[in-house]
Every structure is written in structure tokens, then in C-alpha cells.
Amino acid sequence: MQMKCWYPAECEQQFQRLQTRLAELNVQLTGQLVEKINARFLRLNPEMALVLDEDGLSLSANGMKMQPDWRAEIPRLKRASLKSEMLARACQLGEKPSLIDATAGLGHDSLLMAYLGANVRLIERHPILFVLLEYTKAQAEQDAFLQAHMSRIQLIHADSNSYLNELAQQSEYVDVVYLDPMFPQRDQNHQAQKKQAQVKKQMQLLHMLLPEDGEMDLGDQLLHLAQKIAKRVIVKRPRHAVYLAEQTPDHQWLGDACRFDAYFPKGQI
């Protein structure tokens, strides 16, 4: 895999470290010095690339730039509680569970779950997104508010199907496996889906970075594997989406825009 990175001269050392890190993940990174990286530059250079600047490490394309900015989640975390967050109730975060987020994405849900007490393993297979997560976790470790919770977050570069299957073969169990498939395209209400507002900038870039791989990204196989190793499996879905793997959940928590489907493989409710 190849990727370009734009960066100013003052970020030369950071680029060298990034290049070395991505080489370890089988990504060939080429660098291009840029005098000034601003909105105009990004519009004039619409191809997908990484950007190293005063904001840290970002992904850019089509004039947009995004990063999994955990520090921007602090206001949400300060408002969150075990009672107020539907996700916390679904995952029983009050019991401080061992939890695997098998569809890490930008890590925002995992950050919330770790903040509320879970010990979370984030599994991400794409090397670019994984490195973006590494950078944002490193920034969070320097943040006065977030740093106390970072020890409960472990980033793992792996394919979730392979990782969960290996745990099953080793008879290793966890309290919760959390799934939030990125491409829930089989929706029960297609017209309502078409009328939704344009996908947020972060999701637009993620969809460009992570092309659909069919059933794998729908998470059907992940659900079957998760049920082998977890006391409960929690699946986040759009409110009107069909059940993952066409499997009726044992329980649901319903919100306005999304819901959490719960599966209790070992009969524990």
C-alpha cells in the first residue's frame, strides 16, 4: 500500500517517525514539503493524503481534513454518566467489564466506554486508520483530563475476524464485544435513509479510505464469532436497520436515531 503525506519543514522529524511506523505496517509513505497547508491548498490538492501540521496527523481528501480527535469529545464525557448513556446500560459499564470494540472506527465510543470504567481493546485492521488512532491516543495521554483513562485503552492492529477467531480457539473470554458496523446498507426504510442529511465529513473520508468489502464490513461474521467468546454482544444499529446477520436480539435499547441490540450467548441477561 502507498500513501502520500504533506507536511511543513518544521514537521520533518515527525514525518520521519511516521514513515518508519507505517513501513512497519507495510505502507510505503512518500513525503512532500509544503510551505503552507490551508483550506485553499487542500481544495487544490483533492487526492487522498495524510497531513502532518500543528493539528497533528490528519487524513485529507476533496478539500476536507479529519482526524479522530478525542480531545473534542471531552464535553460529551463530562456530561456522561452510567445512567444517562444508553451505551453504558447496554454494555453494563458499571461493572467495569473487559470489552473488545471489534469495529473501532474513530474510537469515540471506545473512549466513552473507557471513561465510564471499561477496559477496552480497539481492533483496527486498516494501517492508516490505526496510525491515526495511535496519534490521537498519544495526544490524549498528554491531556490533563483524558490521561487518567488512557491506561484502559489498548490499540490492536489486526483483522477483527481473525482476532476473534483466535480468541475462540484459545478459549479466551471477555465480558462484552461491541460492534458498530460501518456499512449497514440493508435498511428497512430506504426512503427515510435517502432523506437523511449528508454524511458528516469524518464519515465521508472514512468511507473513501475504507471501501466496502461486502459481508465482512456488514459485521455478520463478526457477530457469530463474538458470540463464541463474550458474555454479551452489543450491536449499534441505525434505528430502522435490519438485524445483523438476520438474528433477532435478546434485548434492545432504543434511541431516536440508533438502537443497541443485545445478544446473550451464555444466557446471561
Side-chain angles (χ1 to χ4, degrees):
M1 180 180 180
Q2 296 182 339
M3 179 66 71
K4 179 187 291 186
C5 179
W6 293 308
Y7 64 96
E10 59 267 25
C11 293
E12 177 66 40
Q13 290 186 347
Q14 295 178 55
F15 168 74
Q16 296 293 339
R17 290 194 294 269
L18 176 63
Q19 189 177 47
T20 299
R21 178 63 179 129
L22 282 172
E24 296 171 351
L25 302 177
N26 298 315
V27 177
Q28 181 181 349
L29 187 67
T30 58
Q32 182 175 331
L33 280 170
V34 177
E35 184 175 345
K36 189 175 185 179
I37 301 174
N38 53 21
R40 182 175 183 274
F41 174 84
L42 295 177
R43 287 196 304 271
L44 294 175
N45 295 272
E47 66 269 31
M48 179 170 287
L50 290 171
V51 175
L52 265 176
D53 56 14
E54 67 276 5
D55 296 327
L57 181 66
S58 306
L59 180 70
S60 72
N62 293 344
M64 300 179 291
K65 188 175 79 165
M66 78 89 182
Q67 59 184 179
D69 187 358
W70 289 0
R71 290 178 297 187
E73 295 293 301
I74 291 176
R76 178 193 180 193
L77 298 181
K78 289 183 175 179
R79 295 190 304 269
S81 70
L82 293 172
K83 291 184 178 180
S84 67
E85 291 288 341
M86 189 164 54
L87 176 59
R89 299 195 297 274
C91 294
Q92 289 189 329
L93 296 184
E95 298 183 1
K96 302 187 183 304
S98 60
L99 188 149
I100 292 176
D101 184 345
T103 51
L106 298 176
H108 293 161
D109 283 346
S110 283
L111 176 64
L112 174 66
M113 292 187 286
Y115 175 75
L116 291 175
N119 291 295
V120 185
R121 279 178 270 180
L122 282 79
I123 315 301
E124 177 51 53
R125 69 183 180 190
H126 197 287
I128 300 300
L129 184 51
F130 180 75
V131 168
L132 286 165
L133 287 168
E134 282 190 321
Y135 264 71
T136 201
K137 184 173 187 281
Q139 289 180 323
E141 288 169 346
Q142 303 303 314
D143 183 90
F145 181 83
L146 294 175
Q147 60 185 193
H149 313 290
M150 290 301 101
S151 62
R152 291 196 291 275
I153 294 178
Q154 180 184 5
L155 300 177
I156 298 174
H157 181 239
D159 175 82
S160 291
N161 285 279
S162 300
Y163 186 81
L164 296 185
N165 189 52
E166 183 177 340
L167 294 185
Q169 291 178 353
Q170 296 173 353
S171 298
E172 180 178 340
Y173 301 100
V174 296
D175 296 317
V176 182
V177 171
Y178 178 68
L179 302 175
D180 180 10
M182 186 171 294
F183 302 108
Q185 56 271 66
R186 295 171 301 165
D187 197 281
Q188 292 170 339
N189 189 341
H190 292 286
Q191 293 304 315
Q193 189 178 36
K194 290 179 181 178
K195 293 180 181 179
Q196 290 177 355
Q198 187 182 28
V199 180
K200 291 182 180 180
K201 174 174 65 175
Q202 290 179 329
M203 293 307 297
Q204 289 183 47
L205 288 176
L206 279 183
H207 278 249
M208 293 173 65
L209 180 68
L210 308 171
E212 299 176 42
D213 287 335
E215 292 301 304
M216 181 178 292
D217 281 319
L218 285 169
D220 291 0
Q221 180 65 20
L222 284 178
L223 177 58
H224 297 312
L225 290 169
Q227 288 175 301
K228 295 180 179 180
I229 66 165
K231 296 178 182 177
R232 64 171 48 204
V233 182
I234 302 299
V235 181
K236 183 178 181 180
R237 301 292 278 162
R239 175 70 185 247
H240 300 290
V242 299
Y243 299 134
L244 199 61
E246 300 181 355
Q247 184 173 338
T248 303
D250 298 304
H251 190 72
Q252 287 184 314
W253 289 263
L254 299 175
D256 293 334
C258 71
R259 69 175 196 261
F260 293 97
D261 295 342
Y263 301 86
F264 307 112
K266 299 182 184 303
Q268 299 189 23
I269 299 179

Short mmCIF file of all heavy atoms in Angstrom, two decimals, residues 130-159:
data_model
loop_
_atom_site.label_atom_id
_atom_site.label_comp_id
_atom_site.label_asym_id
_atom_site.label_seq_id
_atom_site.Cartn_x
_atom_site.Cartn_y
_atom_site.Cartn_z
N PHE A 130 -5.40 2.95 11.80
CA PHE A 130 -4.75 2.52 13.04
C PHE A 130 -3.72 3.55 13.50
O PHE A 130 -3.66 3.90 14.68
CB PHE A 130 -4.07 1.16 12.83
CG PHE A 130 -3.39 0.64 14.06
CD1 PHE A 130 -4.12 0.12 15.11
CD2 PHE A 130 -2.01 0.71 14.18
CE1 PHE A 130 -3.48 -0.35 16.27
CE2 PHE A 130 -1.37 0.24 15.32
CZ PHE A 130 -2.11 -0.29 16.37
N VAL A 131 -2.92 4.07 12.58
CA VAL A 131 -1.92 5.07 12.95
C VAL A 131 -2.59 6.38 13.38
O VAL A 131 -2.13 7.05 14.31
CB VAL A 131 -0.93 5.30 11.78
CG1 VAL A 131 -0.08 6.53 12.02
CG2 VAL A 131 -0.04 4.08 11.61
N LEU A 132 -3.69 6.74 12.74
CA LEU A 132 -4.44 7.91 13.19
C LEU A 132 -4.92 7.73 14.63
O LEU A 132 -4.86 8.68 15.45
CB LEU A 132 -5.64 8.16 12.27
CG LEU A 132 -5.34 8.75 10.89
CD1 LEU A 132 -6.54 8.62 9.97
CD2 LEU A 132 -4.92 10.22 11.01
N LEU A 133 -5.36 6.53 14.96
CA LEU A 133 -5.77 6.24 16.34
C LEU A 133 -4.58 6.30 17.30
O LEU A 133 -4.71 6.80 18.42
CB LEU A 133 -6.45 4.87 16.41
CG LEU A 133 -7.85 4.77 15.81
CD1 LEU A 133 -8.28 3.31 15.69
CD2 LEU A 133 -8.86 5.55 16.63
N GLU A 134 -3.44 5.79 16.85
CA GLU A 134 -2.23 5.87 17.70
C GLU A 134 -1.89 7.32 18.02
O GLU A 134 -1.53 7.66 19.16
CB GLU A 134 -1.06 5.19 17.01
CG GLU A 134 -1.08 3.69 17.07
CD GLU A 134 0.22 3.07 16.58
OE1 GLU A 134 0.80 3.58 15.60
OE2 GLU A 134 0.65 2.07 17.17
N TYR A 135 -1.98 8.18 17.02
CA TYR A 135 -1.64 9.59 17.23
C TYR A 135 -2.62 10.25 18.18
O TYR A 135 -2.22 11.00 19.07
CB TYR A 135 -1.62 10.34 15.88
CG TYR A 135 -0.25 10.45 15.27
CD1 TYR A 135 0.39 9.32 14.76
CD2 TYR A 135 0.42 11.66 15.22
CE1 TYR A 135 1.67 9.41 14.20
CE2 TYR A 135 1.69 11.76 14.67
CZ TYR A 135 2.31 10.63 14.16
OH TYR A 135 3.58 10.72 13.62
N THR A 136 -3.91 9.99 18.01
CA THR A 136 -4.87 10.66 18.88
C THR A 136 -4.78 10.12 20.30
O THR A 136 -4.99 10.87 21.27
CB THR A 136 -6.30 10.52 18.32
OG1 THR A 136 -7.12 11.54 18.89
CG2 THR A 136 -6.91 9.17 18.61
N LYS A 137 -4.44 8.86 20.47
CA LYS A 137 -4.24 8.32 21.82
C LYS A 137 -3.01 8.96 22.47
O LYS A 137 -3.03 9.30 23.67
CB LYS A 137 -4.09 6.80 21.79
CG LYS A 137 -3.98 6.16 23.19
CD LYS A 137 -4.01 4.65 23.08
CE LYS A 137 -4.08 4.02 24.48
NZ LYS A 137 -2.77 4.00 25.15
N ALA A 138 -1.95 9.15 21.69
CA ALA A 138 -0.75 9.80 22.23
C ALA A 138 -1.06 11.23 22.67
O ALA A 138 -0.57 11.70 23.71
CB ALA A 138 0.36 9.79 21.18
N GLN A 139 -1.88 11.94 21.89
CA GLN A 139 -2.29 13.28 22.28
C GLN A 139 -3.13 13.25 23.55
O GLN A 139 -2.97 14.09 24.44
CB GLN A 139 -3.09 13.95 21.15
CG GLN A 139 -2.25 14.33 19.94
CD GLN A 139 -3.10 14.98 18.85
OE1 GLN A 139 -4.24 14.60 18.62
NE2 GLN A 139 -2.53 15.96 18.16
N ALA A 140 -4.02 12.27 23.64
CA ALA A 140 -4.88 12.16 24.82
C ALA A 140 -4.06 11.85 26.08
O ALA A 140 -4.42 12.30 27.18
CB ALA A 140 -5.92 11.07 24.60
N GLU A 141 -2.97 11.13 25.92
CA GLU A 141 -2.12 10.81 27.06
C GLU A 141 -1.42 12.04 27.62
O GLU A 141 -0.92 12.02 28.75
CB GLU A 141 -1.09 9.74 26.66
CG GLU A 141 -1.71 8.36 26.47
CD GLU A 141 -0.77 7.37 25.83
OE1 GLU A 141 0.27 7.81 25.28
OE2 GLU A 141 -1.08 6.15 25.84
N GLN A 142 -1.39 13.12 26.85
CA GLN A 142 -0.80 14.38 27.30
C GLN A 142 -1.86 15.36 27.80
O GLN A 142 -1.52 16.46 28.25
CB GLN A 142 0.00 15.03 26.17
CG GLN A 142 1.09 14.16 25.59
CD GLN A 142 2.09 13.69 26.63
OE1 GLN A 142 2.55 14.49 27.45
NE2 GLN A 142 2.41 12.41 26.62
N ASP A 143 -3.12 14.97 27.73
CA ASP A 143 -4.21 15.86 28.12
C ASP A 143 -4.54 15.64 29.60
O ASP A 143 -4.72 14.50 30.04
CB ASP A 143 -5.44 15.58 27.26
CG ASP A 143 -6.59 16.52 27.58
OD1 ASP A 143 -6.67 17.60 26.95
OD2 ASP A 143 -7.40 16.19 28.47
N ALA A 144 -4.65 16.71 30.34
CA ALA A 144 -4.86 16.62 31.79
C ALA A 144 -6.15 15.88 32.15
O ALA A 144 -6.21 15.17 33.16
CB ALA A 144 -4.87 18.02 32.40
N PHE A 145 -7.18 16.04 31.33
CA PHE A 145 -8.46 15.40 31.62
C PHE A 145 -8.49 13.94 31.17
O PHE A 145 -9.01 13.06 31.87
CB PHE A 145 -9.60 16.17 30.94
CG PHE A 145 -10.97 15.60 31.20
CD1 PHE A 145 -11.65 15.90 32.37
CD2 PHE A 145 -11.57 14.74 30.28
CE1 PHE A 145 -12.91 15.36 32.61
CE2 PHE A 145 -12.83 14.20 30.50
CZ PHE A 145 -13.50 14.51 31.68
N LEU A 146 -7.93 13.65 30.00
CA LEU A 146 -8.04 12.33 29.41
C LEU A 146 -7.01 11.33 29.89
O LEU A 146 -7.25 10.11 29.88
CB LEU A 146 -7.95 12.44 27.88
CG LEU A 146 -9.09 13.17 27.16
CD1 LEU A 146 -8.75 13.29 25.68
CD2 LEU A 146 -10.42 12.47 27.36
N GLN A 147 -5.84 11.81 30.31
CA GLN A 147 -4.71 10.90 30.51
C GLN A 147 -4.99 9.82 31.55
O GLN A 147 -4.49 8.69 31.44
CB GLN A 147 -3.46 11.69 30.91
CG GLN A 147 -3.58 12.50 32.17
CD GLN A 147 -2.35 13.36 32.42
OE1 GLN A 147 -2.19 13.90 33.51
NE2 GLN A 147 -1.48 13.50 31.43
N ALA A 148 -5.82 10.10 32.54
CA ALA A 148 -6.10 9.11 33.58
C ALA A 148 -6.85 7.89 33.06
O ALA A 148 -6.84 6.83 33.69
CB ALA A 148 -6.89 9.75 34.71
N HIS A 149 -7.47 8.02 31.89
CA HIS A 149 -8.29 6.94 31.35
C HIS A 149 -7.61 6.16 30.24
O HIS A 149 -8.13 5.14 29.79
CB HIS A 149 -9.62 7.51 30.85
CG HIS A 149 -10.27 8.45 31.81
ND1 HIS A 149 -10.83 8.02 33.00
CD2 HIS A 149 -10.41 9.80 31.79
CE1 HIS A 149 -11.32 9.07 33.65
NE2 HIS A 149 -11.07 10.15 32.94
N MET A 150 -6.45 6.64 29.79
CA MET A 150 -5.81 6.01 28.64
C MET A 150 -5.26 4.63 28.94
O MET A 150 -5.14 3.79 28.03
CB MET A 150 -4.68 6.91 28.11
CG MET A 150 -5.18 8.19 27.43
SD MET A 150 -6.29 7.88 26.03
CE MET A 150 -7.90 8.18 26.79
N SER A 151 -4.96 4.34 30.19
CA SER A 151 -4.43 3.02 30.53
C SER A 151 -5.48 1.93 30.32
O SER A 151 -5.15 0.74 30.26
CB SER A 151 -3.95 3.00 31.98
OG SER A 151 -5.02 3.26 32.87
N ARG A 152 -6.75 2.32 30.20
CA ARG A 152 -7.82 1.34 29.99
C ARG A 152 -8.10 1.12 28.50
O ARG A 152 -9.04 0.40 28.15
CB ARG A 152 -9.09 1.77 30.71
CG ARG A 152 -8.99 1.72 32.23
CD ARG A 152 -10.34 1.77 32.89
NE ARG A 152 -10.99 3.06 32.74
CZ ARG A 152 -10.79 4.11 33.54
NH1 ARG A 152 -9.93 4.00 34.55
NH2 ARG A 152 -11.42 5.24 33.34
N ILE A 153 -7.30 1.73 27.63
CA ILE A 153 -7.48 1.58 26.19
C ILE A 153 -6.24 0.95 25.58
O ILE A 153 -5.13 1.44 25.75
CB ILE A 153 -7.75 2.95 25.53
CG1 ILE A 153 -9.09 3.51 25.99
CG2 ILE A 153 -7.74 2.81 24.00
CD1 ILE A 153 -9.41 4.88 25.41
N GLN A 154 -6.45 -0.15 24.87
CA GLN A 154 -5.36 -0.84 24.17
C GLN A 154 -5.69 -0.90 22.69
O GLN A 154 -6.76 -1.40 22.30
CB GLN A 154 -5.18 -2.26 24.72
CG GLN A 154 -4.07 -3.05 24.04
CD GLN A 154 -3.98 -4.48 24.54
OE1 GLN A 154 -4.82 -4.93 25.33
NE2 GLN A 154 -2.98 -5.21 24.07
N LEU A 155 -4.79 -0.39 21.86
CA LEU A 155 -4.98 -0.43 20.42
C LEU A 155 -4.31 -1.67 19.86
O LEU A 155 -3.15 -1.95 20.18
CB LEU A 155 -4.38 0.81 19.75
CG LEU A 155 -4.95 2.18 20.16
CD1 LEU A 155 -4.19 3.29 19.45
CD2 LEU A 155 -6.43 2.25 19.85
N ILE A 156 -5.05 -2.40 19.02
CA ILE A 156 -4.52 -3.63 18.43
C ILE A 156 -4.72 -3.59 16.92
O ILE A 156 -5.85 -3.44 16.44
CB ILE A 156 -5.21 -4.87 19.03
CG1 ILE A 156 -4.94 -4.94 20.54
CG2 ILE A 156 -4.74 -6.14 18.32
CD1 ILE A 156 -5.69 -6.06 21.24
N HIS A 157 -3.61 -3.70 16.17
CA HIS A 157 -3.69 -3.72 14.71
C HIS A 157 -3.92 -5.15 14.27
O HIS A 157 -3.01 -5.99 14.30
CB HIS A 157 -2.39 -3.17 14.10
CG HIS A 157 -2.41 -3.15 12.61
ND1 HIS A 157 -1.49 -3.83 11.85
CD2 HIS A 157 -3.25 -2.54 11.74
CE1 HIS A 157 -1.75 -3.63 10.57
NE2 HIS A 157 -2.82 -2.86 10.48
N ALA A 158 -5.15 -5.44 13.88
CA ALA A 158 -5.49 -6.79 13.48
C ALA A 158 -6.81 -6.77 12.74
O ALA A 158 -7.60 -5.82 12.86
CB ALA A 158 -5.60 -7.71 14.71
N ASP A 159 -7.06 -7.83 11.97
CA ASP A 159 -8.37 -8.04 11.38
C ASP A 159 -9.27 -8.64 12.45
O ASP A 159 -8.93 -9.64 13.09
CB ASP A 159 -8.26 -9.00 10.20
CG ASP A 159 -9.62 -9.35 9.62
OD1 ASP A 159 -10.13 -8.56 8.82
OD2 ASP A 159 -10.15 -10.41 10.00
#
